[in-house]
Amino acid sequence: MGVGKAPFDGLAPPPTGEGNTADGAGALLLEALSAAIGQWHQFFGGQIWTLSALLIAVLLAALLFRLFAESLGQPGGALVLGAFLSGHLELIEHGIQLLYLPAAFLWIGQPAGDSAPPLLSPTAQVAFVGFAAYRCFGPG
C-alpha cells in the first residue's frame, strides 16, 4: 500500500575484510546490528518528537511537583501542568524560528541557516516556564 518501508530496505551490506572471523561470525554480527538499528529507526522515526515531548512533560511535572507540592496537592495536577507547558514550549520554539529567520534574512540579505541561535530558544522557554510558575503559584 506504500505505507512505511520494507524492513531491510536501504541497509548497507556489512563490510568484509579484516576483523571478521573465518566462519563469518563478525560479518553476521554486523549485519544483525545494522538490521536492528534500521528497525529501531523505522519504528521510532516518526514518534521520536512525541516521545521527547512526553519525556519533557514528565520531567517538568516532577520538577514542578517537587517545588510546589503544597499548592498542587496531587502528582496528577503536576503532570497536567507539565504537559500543558511542554506543548507550549514546542510552540515557543517554532514561533522563535518563525520570527527569527525572516528577520535575519532581511538583516543580512541572505539565508541565515535553518535555525535560530542555539541559546535563544532555551532562554525564552525557561523564561516562559518561570513566568507561568509565577502566575500559577505566586511569588516565593
Side-chain angles (χ1 to χ4, degrees), residues 57 60-62 64-65 72 74-83:
L60 190 57
L64 290 171
F65 187 71
L72 287 169
Q74 296 180 355
L79 186 59
V80 168
L81 184 59

Side-chain angles (χ1 to χ4, degrees), residues 68 71 130 132-140:
F68 305 109
S71 297
Y134 177 79
R135 294 291 294 172
C136 286
F137 306 111

Side-chain angles (χ1 to χ4, degrees), residues 24-114:
L28 185 60
L29 177 64
L30 287 176
E31 183 178 356
L33 286 175
S34 178
I37 291 171
Q39 287 292 318
W40 183 84
H41 180 65
Q42 181 180 347
F43 181 72
F44 286 114
Q47 292 88 8
I48 198 71
W49 298 113
T50 304
L51 292 174
S52 64
L54 287 174
L55 178 65
I56 289 172
V58 169
L59 292 175
L60 190 57
L63 175 70
L64 290 171
F65 187 71
R66 180 75 174 149
L67 292 174
F68 305 109
E70 66 277 351
S71 297
L72 287 169
Q74 296 180 355
L79 186 59
V80 168
L81 184 59
F84 177 79
L85 290 176
S86 71
H88 281 81
L89 293 179
E90 189 70 26
L91 289 175
I92 287 173
E93 181 178 350
H94 290 295
I96 285 174
Q97 288 185 13
L98 182 68
L99 294 174
Y100 174 79
L101 293 177
F105 175 76
L106 291 174
W107 182 259
I108 62 176
Q110 61 184 356
D114 59 351

Side-chain angles (χ1 to χ4, degrees), residues 6-29:
F8 300 103
D9 187 26
L11 296 175
T16 57
E18 305 221 5
N20 294 335
T21 59
D23 60 354
L28 185 60
L29 177 64

